[in-house]
């Protein structure tokens, strides 16, 4: 059903080799220190897969969403934190790909080309709004040559390390969602205040920042598209982001299952390896079935996105994210369970994967919000 | 908010529960995040638990024991403390588990000598059973105890020993015969200062990080024959009896963790309002509250039923396993839902500032130790089949 061509196979092969050599050995350390994976940035940039979605017109390799998801999956098998780097980059890139005019694209997207190590991200979540993303109260007011933005932003992936970020804000509150606009803001713009990076349960090798916009001055030409186009832009970007989270969750699950399987084949209890015991086989069966169904829905959504069938992408991405992240939570928790006392110890990677899996259920919109999106769409409620 | 009184048979137990509840809230809650973050064993909490008599609850009364209703007392204490700090509650459980072979297997002379040392001298006990190749499969232990004149010579490597590095006394399970059967192992009391006993590395864990988990090595450790607990070959039997007490206690811990997470969500929804309605009126939130409360009450029922049966001297093996299995699974679900609820409401369920992510990590251990929940299911099924014969 999903056939890879020779080039795609080679790309994945090289990703797999680099991950094995460079990312796997660093995963535990990243988790422990909670540091940002600068080394991974360097390695991904050098090998040209920090920004695989970057259009050719701006010096990128412009891979399909489908292959991008497979790359994210490969990295997440070893280290969910490192895979989030690619997701954050895509979140900072896609709003411009979807909606910016030529000069703005040329200015910012080119910076990500070649072996660039420049980081970007998306500041979509208003502090105190949480998943209530649509109630973002930030206002952007045009004063002469600049928009002035206020408000607080939280959980901004790459927030404190990014060179530029995409922000959404109301330019006309009276128009409701049609009054939302998108902007590109650079780190150095006056009024961009970084408050702190969060201390998190999982995906600890990533940066989630809290930021304040204190009359942030954004040049008028940094408006993405036209005023009022922000909401549609945000929906597309968040859909893509949910799809990528699904791919991350699938990789994470596969990584945990691989660890648990290798343990189950070695561990002898009651005179045989535990892989011979029926309760363990049941767990393996449920884990693998969960992963395969999540993977299929993820690939199908990627396929739909590559076909630009936007009328379906939003709901499918929500479904993929819901299924894949719930599967990841169950699979990683079962992996710890299968490995018993060893699974609970930090020497083995599965407890980290379990903590990382929780992140996939809560970021890019919680799974509760995914259910609302799916339910409302199918019930015909806008 | 939950009322345990229907499960508490005596006034004395009620008074104990009330006292612990107050002290847990006032003195233990505030250090829970710190011991998790810094991963250290808090000796101040240990002292507090000694002062309250909670580390000798299951001892004979003349050595500080609670007396009649001791399993329920242990469960109440564990539950109340686990509401605020699972790591601290684990200390109570392991103290009861580790001292069980001594209390129920030690000779009169041995108890006379050691129980005062332990209660007045405030010595912690560790339970040295698990080995690298013997987790669920206890019968497969490799440690040996060989009789030499008036002594036994002990050799072996033990792992995942809770309180391993802070205990003064150890209950050690070792093989006393070469036979490959359940009657081949025995428990021994070993002192920390015994030549040949050494503490290996301290483990870093997913949760309950304020508890101390270490390897312990025994290399030609010589103990007097009088330190044999029970008769030779009774080790497996004692371990099984110990489970009948410890599994309800683990269930109580899981119950307490779930209640702590539930309380965090409840407090949050009661104090937050959106523009039009209190958050607590939202159907999605009510559904989480209802599901969690059902799981908590069902866990409580099984936990105290298993504990009361044990105190009455009746066979509680099936209920002990049911309680441990159900309450552990319930705690995972309730804590996970608590993270989700806080995440939906505030965006902050996943970050460390709220306590629920710790509770979720702490809860996972309850599905694993004192027999994984997979083993519990086997025990339950076997008991049911035995009863129906």
């Amino acid at each position: 059903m999903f056939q890879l061509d020779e080039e795609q196979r080679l790309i994945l092969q090289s990703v797999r080799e680099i991950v094995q050599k460079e990312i796997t050995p660093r995963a535990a350390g990243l988790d422990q220190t909670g540091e940002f994976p600068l080394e991974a940035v360097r390695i991904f940039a050098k090998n040209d897969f920090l920004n695989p979605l970057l259009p050719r017109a701006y010096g990128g390799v412009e891979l399909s969403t489908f292959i991008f998801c497979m790359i994210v999956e490969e990295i997440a098998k070893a280290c969910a934190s490192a895979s989030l780097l690619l997701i954050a980059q895509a979140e900072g890139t896609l709003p411009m790909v979807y909606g910016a005019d030529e000069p703005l694209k040329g200015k910012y997207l080119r910076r990500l080309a070649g072996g660039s190590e420049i980081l970007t991200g998306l500041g979509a979540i208003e502090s105190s709004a949480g998943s209530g993303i649509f109630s973002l109260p930030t206002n952007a007011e045009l004063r002469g040559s600049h928009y002035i933005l206020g408000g607080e932003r939280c959980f901004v992936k790459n927030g404190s390390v990014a060179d530029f970020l995409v922000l959404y804000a109301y330019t006309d509150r009276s128009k409701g969602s049609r009054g939302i606009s998108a902007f590109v803001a650079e780190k150095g713009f006056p009024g961009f205040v970084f408050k702190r990076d969060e201390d998190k349960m999982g995906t600890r090798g990533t940066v989630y920042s809290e930021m304040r916009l204190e009359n942030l001055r954004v040049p008028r030409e940094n408006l993405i598209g036209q005023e009022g186009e922000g909401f549609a832009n945000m929906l597309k970007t968040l859909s893509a982001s949910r799809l990528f989270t699904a791919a991350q969750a699938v990789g994470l699950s596969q990584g945990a299952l691989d660890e648990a399987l290798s343990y189950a084949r070695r561990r002898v209890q009651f005179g045989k390896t535990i892989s011979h015991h029926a309760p363990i086989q049941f767990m393996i069966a449920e884990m693998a079935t969960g992963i395969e169904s999540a993977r299929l829905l993820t690939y199908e959504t990627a396929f739909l996105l590559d076909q630009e069938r936007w009328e379906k992408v939003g709901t499918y991405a929500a479904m993929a994210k819901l299924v894949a992240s719930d599967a990841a939570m169950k699979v990683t928790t079962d992996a710890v369970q299968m490995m018993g006392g060893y699974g609970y110890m930090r020497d083995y990677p599965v407890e980290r994967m379990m903590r990382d899996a929780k992140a996939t259920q809560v970021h890019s919109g919680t799974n509760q919000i995914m259910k609302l999106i799916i339910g409302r769409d199918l019930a015909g409620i806008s | 908010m939950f009322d345990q009184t229907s499960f508490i048979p005596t006034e004395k137990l009620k008074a104990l529960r009330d006292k612990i509840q107050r002290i847990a809230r006032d003195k233990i809650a505030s250090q829970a995040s710190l011991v998790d973050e810094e991963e250290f064993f808090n000796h101040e909490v240990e002292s507090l638990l000694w002062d309250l008599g909670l580390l000798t609850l299951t001892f004979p009364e003349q050595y500080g024991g609670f007396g009649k209703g001791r399993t329920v007392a242990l469960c109440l204490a564990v539950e109340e403390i686990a509401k605020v700090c699972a790591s601290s509650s684990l200390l109570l459980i392991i103290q009861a588990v580790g001292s069980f072979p001594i209390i129920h297997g030690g000779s009169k002379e041995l108890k006379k000598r050691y129980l005062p040392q332990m209660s007045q001298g405030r010595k912690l006990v560790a339970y040295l059973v698990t080995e690298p190749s013997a987790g669920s499969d206890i019968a497969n232990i490799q440690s040996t105890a060989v009789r030499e004149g008036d002594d036994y010579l002990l050799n072996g490597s033990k792992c995942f020993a809770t309180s391993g590095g802070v205990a003064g006394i150890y209950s050690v399970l070792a093989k006393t015969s070469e036979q490959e059967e359940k009657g081949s192992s025995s428990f021994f009391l070993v002192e920390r200062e015994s030549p040949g006993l050494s503490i290996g590395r301290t483990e870093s864990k997913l949760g309950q990080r304020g508890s101390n988990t270490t390897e312990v090595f025994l290399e030609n450790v010589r103990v007097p024959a009088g330190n044999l607990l029970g008769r030779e070959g009774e080790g497996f039997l004692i371990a099984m009896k110990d489970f009948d007490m410890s599994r309800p206690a683990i269930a109580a811990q899981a119950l307490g963790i779930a209640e702590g997470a539930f309380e965090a969500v409840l407090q949050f929804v009661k104090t937050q309002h959106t523009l039009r309605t209190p958050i607590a009126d939202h159907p999605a939130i009510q559904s989480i509250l209802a599901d969690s409360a059902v799981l908590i009450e069902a866990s409580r029922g099984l936990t105290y039923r298993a504990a009361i049966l044990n105190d009455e001297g009746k066979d509680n093996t099936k209920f002990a396993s049911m309680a441990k299995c159900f309450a552990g699974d319930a705690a995972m679900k309730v804590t996970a839902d608590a993270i989700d609820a806080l995440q939906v409401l505030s965006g902050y369920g996943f970050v460390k500032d709220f306590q629920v992510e710790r509770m979720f990590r702490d809860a996972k251990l309850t599905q694993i130790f004192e027999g994984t929940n997979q083993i519990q299911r086997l025990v339950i099924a076997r008991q049911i089949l035995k009863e129906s014969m």
Side-chain angles (χ1 to χ4, degrees), chain A residues 222-242:
Chain A
N222 277 26
L223 174 71
I224 297 176
Q226 303 297 313
E227 274 192 18
E229 288 179 0
F231 187 67
N233 187 295
M234 181 164 74
L235 287 189
K236 281 183 171 179
T237 306
L238 289 180
S239 294
S241 161
R242 284 165 191 152

Short mmCIF file of all heavy atoms in Angstrom, two decimals, chain A residues 222-242:
data_model
loop_
_atom_site.label_atom_id
_atom_site.label_comp_id
_atom_site.label_asym_id
_atom_site.label_seq_id
_atom_site.Cartn_x
_atom_site.Cartn_y
_atom_site.Cartn_z
N ASN A 222 6.27 41.62 8.21
CA ASN A 222 6.37 40.28 8.80
C ASN A 222 5.01 39.63 9.05
O ASN A 222 4.90 38.56 9.65
CB ASN A 222 7.17 40.31 10.10
CG ASN A 222 8.67 40.28 9.84
OD1 ASN A 222 9.10 40.69 8.77
ND2 ASN A 222 9.43 39.79 10.79
N LEU A 223 3.95 40.29 8.60
CA LEU A 223 2.63 39.67 8.61
C LEU A 223 2.63 38.53 7.58
O LEU A 223 3.08 38.73 6.45
CB LEU A 223 1.57 40.73 8.24
CG LEU A 223 0.14 40.23 8.06
CD1 LEU A 223 -0.47 39.84 9.41
CD2 LEU A 223 -0.71 41.31 7.40
N ILE A 224 2.18 37.35 7.97
CA ILE A 224 2.13 36.24 7.03
C ILE A 224 0.82 36.33 6.24
O ILE A 224 -0.26 36.22 6.81
CB ILE A 224 2.23 34.89 7.76
CG1 ILE A 224 3.60 34.79 8.47
CG2 ILE A 224 2.06 33.73 6.80
CD1 ILE A 224 3.78 33.54 9.30
N GLY A 225 0.91 36.53 4.94
CA GLY A 225 -0.28 36.70 4.09
C GLY A 225 -1.00 37.98 4.45
O GLY A 225 -0.37 39.00 4.71
N GLN A 226 -2.32 37.89 4.48
CA GLN A 226 -3.13 39.07 4.77
C GLN A 226 -3.66 39.01 6.20
O GLN A 226 -3.69 37.94 6.81
CB GLN A 226 -4.35 39.11 3.82
CG GLN A 226 -3.99 39.11 2.35
CD GLN A 226 -3.20 40.35 1.95
OE1 GLN A 226 -3.58 41.48 2.31
NE2 GLN A 226 -2.08 40.17 1.26
N GLU A 227 -4.08 40.16 6.69
CA GLU A 227 -4.77 40.18 7.98
C GLU A 227 -5.99 39.27 7.91
O GLU A 227 -6.70 39.24 6.90
CB GLU A 227 -5.20 41.60 8.33
CG GLU A 227 -4.12 42.40 9.02
CD GLU A 227 -4.66 43.70 9.64
OE1 GLU A 227 -5.87 43.81 9.82
OE2 GLU A 227 -3.82 44.59 9.91
N GLY A 228 -6.24 38.52 8.98
CA GLY A 228 -7.43 37.67 9.02
C GLY A 228 -7.20 36.26 8.47
O GLY A 228 -8.06 35.39 8.58
N GLU A 229 -6.02 36.03 7.90
CA GLU A 229 -5.73 34.69 7.36
C GLU A 229 -5.08 33.77 8.38
O GLU A 229 -4.76 32.63 8.08
CB GLU A 229 -4.83 34.81 6.11
CG GLU A 229 -5.56 35.35 4.91
CD GLU A 229 -4.65 35.49 3.68
OE1 GLU A 229 -3.44 35.16 3.77
OE2 GLU A 229 -5.15 35.95 2.65
N GLY A 230 -4.88 34.29 9.57
CA GLY A 230 -4.13 33.54 10.58
C GLY A 230 -4.80 32.26 11.05
O GLY A 230 -4.15 31.25 11.29
N PHE A 231 -6.13 32.31 11.18
CA PHE A 231 -6.82 31.16 11.74
C PHE A 231 -6.72 29.94 10.81
O PHE A 231 -6.37 28.84 11.25
CB PHE A 231 -8.29 31.51 12.00
CG PHE A 231 -9.03 30.43 12.73
CD1 PHE A 231 -8.70 30.11 14.04
CD2 PHE A 231 -10.05 29.72 12.10
CE1 PHE A 231 -9.37 29.10 14.71
CE2 PHE A 231 -10.72 28.70 12.77
CZ PHE A 231 -10.39 28.39 14.07
N ALA A 232 -6.99 30.17 9.52
CA ALA A 232 -6.88 29.07 8.56
C ALA A 232 -5.45 28.54 8.53
O ALA A 232 -5.21 27.32 8.47
CB ALA A 232 -7.30 29.55 7.18
N ASN A 233 -4.50 29.48 8.60
CA ASN A 233 -3.10 29.11 8.60
C ASN A 233 -2.76 28.26 9.82
O ASN A 233 -2.07 27.23 9.71
CB ASN A 233 -2.27 30.41 8.59
CG ASN A 233 -0.79 30.16 8.42
OD1 ASN A 233 -0.18 29.54 9.30
ND2 ASN A 233 -0.22 30.61 7.31
N MET A 234 -3.29 28.67 10.97
CA MET A 234 -3.02 27.95 12.21
C MET A 234 -3.61 26.55 12.17
O MET A 234 -2.99 25.58 12.61
CB MET A 234 -3.59 28.74 13.39
CG MET A 234 -3.35 28.10 14.74
SD MET A 234 -3.63 29.27 16.10
CE MET A 234 -5.40 29.37 16.10
N LEU A 235 -4.82 26.42 11.62
CA LEU A 235 -5.45 25.10 11.55
C LEU A 235 -4.61 24.14 10.71
O LEU A 235 -4.41 22.98 11.07
CB LEU A 235 -6.86 25.20 10.97
CG LEU A 235 -7.94 25.79 11.88
CD1 LEU A 235 -9.30 25.62 11.25
CD2 LEU A 235 -7.90 25.16 13.26
N LYS A 236 -4.13 24.63 9.57
CA LYS A 236 -3.28 23.79 8.71
C LYS A 236 -2.01 23.38 9.45
O LYS A 236 -1.61 22.21 9.45
CB LYS A 236 -2.88 24.55 7.44
CG LYS A 236 -3.94 24.62 6.37
CD LYS A 236 -3.34 25.35 5.17
CE LYS A 236 -4.25 25.28 3.96
NZ LYS A 236 -3.69 26.02 2.82
N THR A 237 -1.38 24.38 10.07
CA THR A 237 -0.11 24.12 10.75
C THR A 237 -0.30 23.14 11.92
O THR A 237 0.48 22.20 12.08
CB THR A 237 0.50 25.44 11.29
OG1 THR A 237 0.60 26.35 10.21
CG2 THR A 237 1.87 25.20 11.90
N LEU A 238 -1.36 23.35 12.69
CA LEU A 238 -1.60 22.46 13.84
C LEU A 238 -1.96 21.05 13.38
O LEU A 238 -1.59 20.07 14.01
CB LEU A 238 -2.69 23.03 14.75
CG LEU A 238 -2.31 24.29 15.55
CD1 LEU A 238 -3.46 24.74 16.42
CD2 LEU A 238 -1.06 24.04 16.42
N SER A 239 -2.68 20.95 12.27
CA SER A 239 -2.99 19.63 11.74
C SER A 239 -1.70 18.89 11.39
O SER A 239 -1.53 17.72 11.73
CB SER A 239 -3.87 19.74 10.49
OG SER A 239 -5.12 20.25 10.85
N ALA A 240 -0.82 19.61 10.69
CA ALA A 240 0.47 19.00 10.34
C ALA A 240 1.23 18.61 11.60
O ALA A 240 1.77 17.50 11.71
CB ALA A 240 1.28 19.97 9.50
N SER A 241 1.20 19.50 12.57
CA SER A 241 1.93 19.26 13.81
C SER A 241 1.39 18.01 14.54
O SER A 241 2.14 17.23 15.11
CB SER A 241 1.81 20.51 14.67
OG SER A 241 2.08 20.22 16.00
N ARG A 242 0.08 17.83 14.49
CA ARG A 242 -0.53 16.64 15.12
C ARG A 242 -0.13 15.37 14.39
O ARG A 242 0.14 14.34 15.01
CB ARG A 242 -2.05 16.79 15.14
CG ARG A 242 -2.47 17.76 16.21
CD ARG A 242 -3.89 18.24 16.07
NE ARG A 242 -4.05 19.35 17.01
CZ ARG A 242 -4.89 20.35 16.87
NH1 ARG A 242 -5.69 20.40 15.83
NH2 ARG A 242 -4.95 21.31 17.77
#
